[in-house]
Amino acid sequence: MKGIIMIIDGMADRPLEELGDKTPLEAAKTPNMDRMAQLGVNGIMDSIKPGIRPGSDTAHLSILGYDPYTVYTGRGPFEAAGVGVKVLPGDIAFRCNFSTANEEGIITDRRAGRIRDGTDKLVDTLNSMELEENIEIIFKESTGHRAVLVLRGEGLSDQISDADPKHDGKKFKKVVGLDGSPEAERTAAVLNKVIKKSYELLVDHPVNLKRLENGKNPANITLPRGAGAVPNADPFNGKYGIKSACIAETGLIQGIAQIAGMDVIEVEGATGGIDTNLDNITSSILKNASLDYDFILINIDGADEAGHDGNLNEKVEFIEKVDDVIGKVMEIKDVYFILTADHSTPISVMDHTGDPVPLVIKGPDLRVDNVNKFNERAAASGGLCRIRGSDVMNILMDLMDRSTKFGA
Ligand code: ZN
Ligand code: ZN
């Protein structure tokens, strides 16, 4: 038997007056999800704990069986892994902006005119940077003005402040150690040098001279923030004795899979938005489910985006489109298929909340319950009752007959 967990990011919600007191999931036409609820065992899940508002990263860690309170050190490491830096435990990773600075170090545009092209060339130049300290500097471009930075070497710490002033018109901030440790002091000193050198290397860079010629703001400085030490996470495959893959749209979730040691499958046209190519995602799921993977984690992100935007119609429409994907995945044979969300992203809040999310498991030999709709309220009366994210892999491994007995 195989296992599939499909996470429709931020799908769960709260009742809305404009929907006659229904949630978007209750209002959406979802014949396939409802059929899955009828055929399966249902419940609600707190991805971390009741009332805790999860990030997508901490929620996914928890659902994969990692304790986010020990493994999670910030977004930096997962973003870095997600854009393809092979991070190692102990590396310090940052999210960065390419920004525009003037000669006094005042940041005149935090997003460097929303630069789209040429950041790979800027990164090549930045990666030639040498420091007296024995520390390796790894920059990698991400989308738009975004990039990541990884510091690798002995005696580093993630307990340091951010350089990003967060507002245009302010000088970039001097990075300082936060816990008084020599490691934090050293890392802060290194980072201050890296920022200064980034300006020296980029100010006359051909990419920037060209931008100036075209009246665009140059990307002449990098501003790191969100330092996080790459966690020493038990490899997922070894932990459960399985071969696993992840199909996800965002660098954040791909990075979690990467750090956990799962195979990360890229899908063309997967944007993480409501415009994503769901046909390509479906084909990728069907193809990879026919390979020798025991477990596939899937994340589809558009409903979360619609939730953050407070766009009710888009959220309902996207859920209805995802329902078609679920119909196809339900046809895969010999699989325990779990459908859920990582957290609620209510339209009324436009951010994540701690409300539990519905979860359904379909597969052979289940104690099928009486739930016949897939939504937040119907699921609450199902046979799984209320579980936590950290229960999900245990339940799946037990069903897949890959658990060992605890005791005699
Ligand atoms: Zn999420
Ligand atoms: Zn979100």
Side-chain angles (χ1 to χ4, degrees), residues 49-85:
K49 289 193 270 199
I52 300 296
R53 294 187 160 188
S56 291
D57 40 19
T58 49
H60 279 74
L61 284 169
S62 183
I63 292 167
L64 292 174
Y66 295 99
D67 177 3
Y69 290 99
T70 56
V71 171
Y72 188 69
T73 56
R75 259 177 99 142
F78 302 110
E79 295 274 355
V83 299
V85 181

Side-chain angles (χ1 to χ4, degrees), residues 9 56 304 308 343 345 352:
D9 207 298
S56 291
D304 182 57
H308 283 288
H343 50 76
T345 310
H352 307 178

